[in-house]
Amino acid sequence: MISGFVAHLWQSTLFVGAVWFLALALRKNPARVRYSIWFIASAKFLIPFSLLVGLGAFVPRRAVSPPAETGWVAAAEQVRPLVTIPAVGAEVARTVTAANGAYFTLAAVFLWFCGFAAIAICWAARWKRMRELRRRARPLMRVLKCPESAVPIMSASGLVEPGVFGVFRPVLLLPEGIGARLNEAQLDAILDHELCHVRRRDNLTAAIHMVVQAVFWFHPLVWWLGARLVDERERACDEEVLRLGNTPHVYAEGILNVCKLYVESPLACVAGVTGADLKKRIEAIMKNRVGQRLNLARKLLLAGAGVVAAAGPLVIGIGHAPAINAQSSSAARSDTAAFEVASIKASSPNDGSYTRGCRGGPGTSDPGLWRCTNATVSMLVMLGYDIRRYQLTAPDWTFNTNYEIDAKLQVGATKMQFREMIENLLADRFKLQFHWIKKEMPMYELVVAKGGSKLRESVDQPAGAEKGNPPAQSRTDAEGYPNIPKECRGCMGINSGKARYSSTRESVKNFADMLAGQLNMPVRDRTELTGHYDITLSWSSGGGVSQRANEDSTTEPGMTMETAVQQQLGLRLVRARGSVDVIVVDGAQESPKEN
């Protein structure tokens, strides 16, 4: 806690230094501009960079591989029983150090609280005194009009300078008899000055800085900042008074008369007229010195400084964002989400009879055994994290290096547990590391075509209907398309470039997912069809999606999936763009951990 607080103080100090250079560059411009940047520097003490850094940490970054265990570390692990006694001594030392640190922290907090309480009590007493003056004050006939409200003027007894009391409902307090000591022109200039404080909400910003001073009372910069704020606040109002047409020497005489006759306001949040360096103020007033308007270069300077101040901590947060990887995420899973036995070995060179795929697992006829032929790391990532090819960015070797996998799992495991087993396999054996990102890409939206949907809603679910591939002995129909049994659920067959998909009790959302896999592009369901349907779709697997087929035929050679969906199902694939969750693989071992 102490170290974090010290880091915050150091960052705030550097920020004030940067603001000082900025204020120096704007010294010839209006005081209200410098006041604004000084106030931002003050508020920075209440807003740690860690908040913006925390926002930046939500942006995922590239994962860092854990360092390999060195030889001496391994050796130390082997002789651990021999160093038990020194370890106990070290533990005692750590305990003593922790206890001393706790006492130091308590002492520091106690000291801070004493300073905070002293300042708070002092300011509370001054506020009570001003409130008592406000309570005894008598209203005057005159009322100042400002753009948003009427500011009442009241006469208060006691030697207090003219000032605005109150943060949200301000009241202008004038010393009793001030009208007899200042002429009308001088009094009008003083009233213009106080009305400027009201319009600028100076009491509110001053109160905020008082909180900063109370919390960080030990830091000399916050008191220096307070002096800068009062100085620029009064100069800003002086410039406004002169801009309104008041005569400089009349206004200067009015300020000097107030200084001679009355005591300065005891609180910074009661804006008066006599604050700041009086000599410099009078000189500036007599020279009718009004700050130059900001030119384009200085506006760009201010804008650039604001961008750097806001974006800098975000960039730091992005740099310190924890990487999301399979190894860390697997720790939160259940202990049962792991294969009982898993064998992984490199595939034999292609002998001409190349096949690729996995069989077995939950929902199949062999739920306790899972076997993959010529499987790749990218294929395992897509299976484990239930994503499509377009949702994966990975090194080339993860798509080209093949492995033979034989794994045994507990019968009765769910499909969710099965995916977690694959994730754990990737983390433990391939040391997979990755992070998620949002990526903008072209996609399709599935909508109902102009003539209406042709989908047939399912009546009942056939017993034994199971998602999978059609039987190997399935024949083709007269047009060369695979002849898939009607009871098959989520089955697909391909024969000589002609493909057919068939499923019973299929939701449109699941059908859209199937289309996404075939098109290698996201497909979002926008049909608003919520039923379950018996779906059969036939198309040319090599025809792409950009061609248009003759609408007089529903099974002509070369029919694209886009055309088949419209003609056969009464739906349309409409091109669009959108954001998609994508896995970016940061690292993995091409040679998996030994079996």
Side-chain angles (χ1 to χ4, degrees):
M1 181 181 70
I2 294 294
S3 60
F5 188 68
V6 172
H8 169 62
L9 291 178
W10 177 244
Q11 293 163 357
S12 299
T13 301
L14 293 177
F15 187 78
V16 172
V19 167
W20 180 82
F21 280 106
L22 186 60
L24 190 64
L26 301 174
R27 61 187 181 277
K28 293 183 179 180
N29 296 106
R32 66 177 184 274
V33 176
R34 296 188 297 275
Y35 181 87
S36 298
I37 61 176
W38 285 126
F39 177 72
I40 292 173
S42 170
K44 164 63 194 70
F45 281 86
L46 299 177
I47 306 175
F49 276 163
S50 57
L51 292 179
L52 292 176
V53 171
L55 292 177
F58 282 105
V59 181
R61 66 176 179 88
R62 184 178 177 86
V64 179
S65 301
E69 188 176 73
T70 58
W72 70 268
V73 174
E77 290 294 321
Q78 294 176 1
V79 299
R80 182 176 292 177
L82 302 179
V83 294
T84 302
I85 294 177
V88 172
E91 183 65 26
V92 172
R94 285 194 295 269
T95 303
V96 172
T97 303
N100 291 337
Y103 291 140
F104 175 79
T105 301
L106 288 175
V109 170
F110 178 77
L111 180 62
W112 169 84
F113 181 78
C114 289
F116 174 84
I119 292 174
I121 291 171
C122 178
W123 283 345
R126 295 179 183 180
W127 180 266
K128 184 178 179 181
R129 193 171 74 207
M130 290 299 302
R131 187 165 182 169
E132 182 64 21
L133 288 173
R134 162 70 176 84
R135 188 183 63 83
R136 297 200 308 262
R138 294 180 293 103
L140 297 179
M141 295 299 295
R142 186 173 181 180
V143 173
L144 286 177
K145 297 289 185 180
C146 69
E148 297 178 358
S149 62
V151 181
I153 302 178
M154 307 190 77
S155 175
S157 60
L159 297 177
V160 178
E161 70 168 328
V164 178
F165 177 82
V167 175
F168 301 106
R169 289 184 290 180
V171 174
L172 177 55
L173 296 179
L174 295 179
E176 232 175 21
I178 191 173
R181 302 183 181 187
L182 300 178
N183 60 42
E184 185 175 357
Q186 292 172 350
L187 183 58
D188 284 341
I190 297 300
L191 293 180
D192 284 341
H193 181 99
E194 298 304 327
L195 183 57
C196 178
H197 284 308
V198 176
R199 288 195 299 268
R200 288 166 39 85
R201 301 289 192 271
D202 282 336
N203 281 4
L204 176 60
T205 54
I208 292 174
H209 183 70
M210 288 174 66
V211 174
V212 174
Q213 288 177 320
V215 175
F216 299 92
W217 57 266
F218 51 87
H219 200 309
L221 268 186
V222 299
W223 300 98
W224 182 79
L225 275 175
R228 302 283 72 71
L229 286 169
V230 171
D231 183 58
E232 300 297 351
R233 175 183 84 182
E234 299 305 322
R235 290 192 182 191
C237 288
D238 291 342
E239 292 174 357
E240 178 67 10
V241 170
L242 296 177
R243 190 186 65 82
L244 292 175
N246 290 278
T247 305
H249 77 271
V250 172
Y251 178 42
E253 289 176 357
I255 294 177
L256 291 174
N257 287 335
V258 170
C259 291
K260 287 189 297 184
L261 298 171
Y262 304 103
V263 179
E264 184 177 353
S265 171
L267 282 173
C269 64
V270 178
V273 72
T274 63
D277 189 328
L278 191 59
K279 181 180 179 181
K280 290 183 179 180
R281 283 183 62 195
I282 296 300
E283 288 177 356
I285 292 171
M286 293 304 297
K287 292 179 181 180
N288 200 7
R289 188 185 301 162
V290 179
Q292 302 172 3
R293 296 183 62 181
L294 288 172
N295 56 25
L296 179 60
R298 281 175 165 74
K299 288 180 180 178
L300 291 176
L301 176 65
L302 280 174
V307 170
V308 170
L314 289 175
V315 172
I316 295 173
I318 293 172
H320 290 79
I324 304 172
N325 54 65
Q327 202 164 8
S328 62
S329 59
S330 63
R333 303 186 188 104
S334 62
D335 295 335
T336 60
F339 292 109
E340 294 182 359
V341 180
S343 171
I344 305 175
K345 61 182 180 180
S347 298
S348 301
N350 184 16
D351 59 0
S353 58
Y354 185 83
T355 59
R356 168 176 289 170
C358 297
R359 59 186 182 276
T364 69
S365 58
D366 194 1
L369 191 62
W370 184 58
R371 291 181 175 177
C372 291
T373 300
N374 292 318
T376 62
V377 170
S378 59
M379 175 179 161
L380 297 179
V381 172
M382 288 186 278
L383 285 173
Y385 291 92
D386 194 23
I387 61 174
R388 302 291 182 181
R389 171 63 185 87
Y390 56 81
Q391 292 177 273
L392 179 63
T393 301
D396 291 340
W397 72 264
T398 63
F399 296 93
N400 302 324
T401 306
N402 299 323
Y403 304 91
E404 304 295 319
I405 301 176
D406 290 298
K408 184 180 179 181
L409 63 156
Q410 185 178 1
V411 177
T414 65
K415 293 182 179 180
M416 178 65 72
Q417 291 172 330
F418 179 60
R419 285 200 296 268
E420 292 180 353
M421 292 176 191
I422 298 175
E423 294 173 19
N424 285 331
L425 182 75
L426 288 165
D428 298 335
R429 306 293 285 275
F430 290 95
K431 303 302 179 184
L432 176 72
Q433 295 178 337
F434 69 92
H435 65 270
W436 289 92
I437 63 171
K438 289 281 189 182
K439 186 176 181 180
E440 192 82 10
M441 63 177 62
M443 61 173 54
Y444 283 100
E445 291 184 347
L446 185 64
V447 300
V448 177
K450 194 171 184 180
S453 170
K454 299 179 182 179
L455 295 176
R456 292 181 293 107
E457 194 157 358
S458 300
V459 178
D460 56 4
Q461 182 174 5
E466 179 181 76
K467 186 172 183 178
N469 294 322
Q473 66 270 22
S474 295
R475 299 178 180 179
T476 59
D477 59 15
E479 296 178 338
Y481 288 89
N483 191 12
I484 301 176
K486 293 182 179 180
E487 67 273 10
C488 200
R489 185 176 183 187
C491 296
M492 182 179 296
I494 300 177
N495 179 62
S496 300
K498 293 186 176 183
R500 176 168 285 165
Y501 174 81
S502 181
S503 185
T504 60
R505 293 190 59 80
E506 183 84 308
S507 67
V508 177
K509 182 181 182 302
N510 288 341
F511 177 66
D513 289 340
M514 185 281 296
L515 295 177
Q518 294 300 310
L519 298 172
N520 195 29
M521 289 178 66
V523 177
R524 290 182 175 173
D525 175 23
R526 294 286 190 263
T527 62
E528 299 184 357
L529 299 174
T530 58
H532 290 81
Y533 306 91
D534 294 334
I535 299 176
T536 299
L537 183 70
S538 304
W539 73 97
S540 172
S541 61
V545 295
S546 61
Q547 304 173 19
R548 288 284 182 181
N550 189 335
E551 297 188 2
D552 295 335
S553 172
T554 61
T555 57
E556 71 168 355
M559 175 176 287
T560 66
M561 178 177 281
E562 183 183 32
T563 302
V565 167
Q566 182 167 351
Q567 292 185 8
Q568 299 170 28
L569 304 179
L571 306 177
R572 286 184 59 211
L573 286 166
V574 180
R575 291 185 179 272
R577 289 191 67 86
S579 181
V580 180
D581 292 323
V582 174
I583 282 180
V584 178
V585 173
D586 300 309
Q589 293 182 0
E590 189 170 357
S591 298
K593 185 179 176 182
E594 295 182 0
N595 299 319

